[in-house]
Amino acid sequence: MKKYQVVGIGNAIVDVLTRAEDSFLDHMGIQKGIMQLVDRARAETLYGAMRDRIEAPGGSVANTMAGIGNLGLRSAFIGRVHDDALGRFYAGSMAGDGTDFVNPPVAGGDLPTSRSMIFVSPDGERSMNTYLGISAELGPEDVSEDVAGQADFLFLEGYLFDKDKGKEAFLKAARACKAAGGKPGIAISDPFCVERHRADFLKLIEHDMDFVIGNEDEIRSLYQNDDLEADLRAVGAICPLVVCTRSGDGVSVLHEGTRIDVPVDKIVPVDATGAGDQFAAGFLYGLATGADMETSARMGSCAAREVITHMGPRPETSLPELFKAQGLL
């Protein structure tokens, strides 16, 4: 038995959330519904404009790991924070949620711990403005092959592809995991991220990944067209397991040539932040515990539904109890 059932690697970012009208987004020049990278000056401007802020440890795959910790799996997170108040808070919070934060906060240097200003619209959509800070400096030197090699499943965050050192860290972690018999996979993360690194994404998925998770916009962005069905077949031809979340239209899973479509109940979200992250947590829980693909997808949908019923990207109730109530455990 390996030390960890799931190891995640990604940006370690403090989320700062507030509610905002669409008119405020227009006034501040914030593009609705996507993640935008901002510089330090812009981050300070947006932070100063926020009211009734909620602060919590975040980052896409880190949120997934918090859900996995809620579910009780043996887990670890590879990330990079500064040895400042936010960084120490972040590392302690991950450990408190049941996930080992394997890299200690970094002392010295000019870059602070990363943060993302998230504006939640009345329709629940979130507009993310992220200052990457020190987390974007994660490189192969931050990856312990002993940790990656002790993972049944390794989950990578596509956002880190914005720098060559992030790509190198991914390859080191994925190959260490695979060499030890584990299964590495990736969250595509964002269509704009794919556009910046399409060739590298496709190469990584084809040669080093055992699974890929993305929403329909992210899957379509891999091949630059609007034919989702053709794109799903294309990704399925180069990767054994492809999972596509389709908002209220359900989940499509392609596993070794077999397709499963799992419906979901449509609800109006209070805050859509973290929906995809928690879907991944539920789905990975299913994989790690030997559930079939349909059950794993239903677990993912159940976890996503929980997180969109409240503000914040991490579950506030017991996911195992919710799974039991749905007949999934």
Side-chain angles (χ1 to χ4, degrees), residues 41-200:
R42 173 71 167 165
E44 291 173 355
T45 297
L46 293 177
Y47 185 85
M50 302 178 89
R51 298 292 180 268
D52 300 321
R53 295 182 291 255
I54 298 173
E55 297 184 356
S60 179
V61 165
N63 289 335
T64 295
M65 300 312 298
I68 286 172
N70 181 291
L71 285 159
L73 295 186
R74 304 184 307 278
S75 59
F77 179 71
I78 298 170
R80 190 175 176 90
V81 298
H82 187 67
D83 188 14
D84 53 19
L86 282 179
R88 292 187 292 271
F89 159 75
Y90 192 100
S93 295
M94 289 294 294
D97 286 337
T99 295
D100 290 350
F101 192 84
V102 297
N103 295 342
V106 179
D110 296 327
L111 292 174
T113 295
S114 310
R115 70 286 314 271
S116 181
M117 280 63 65
I118 303 172
F119 297 87
V120 183
S121 306
D123 61 0
E125 189 58 85
R126 78 274 192 269
S127 306
M128 305 170 67
N129 299 264
T130 303
Y131 170 61
L132 290 177
I134 197 173
S135 70
E137 297 303 309
L138 187 140
E141 68 277 7
D142 297 304
V143 174
S144 166
E145 293 185 355
D146 290 338
V147 174
Q150 280 295 317
D152 289 327
F153 293 90
L154 178 72
F155 193 43
L156 311 173
E157 181 179 318
Y159 286 130
L160 277 177
F161 256 50
D162 274 315
K163 289 195 175 183
D164 288 341
K165 62 173 62 178
K167 297 174 188 178
E168 294 170 9
F170 276 12
L171 288 173
K172 180 180 179 181
R175 290 169 183 175
C177 175
K178 210 161 193 173
K183 293 185 176 182
I186 191 168
I188 298 177
S189 295
D190 186 274
F192 293 98
C193 191
V194 173
E195 288 175 12
R196 293 190 292 270
H197 309 285
R198 183 174 288 108
D200 285 340

Side-chain angles (χ1 to χ4, degrees), residues 273-285:
T273 308
D277 305 335
Q278 295 312 320
F279 172 86
F283 188 83
L284 287 170
Y285 175 83

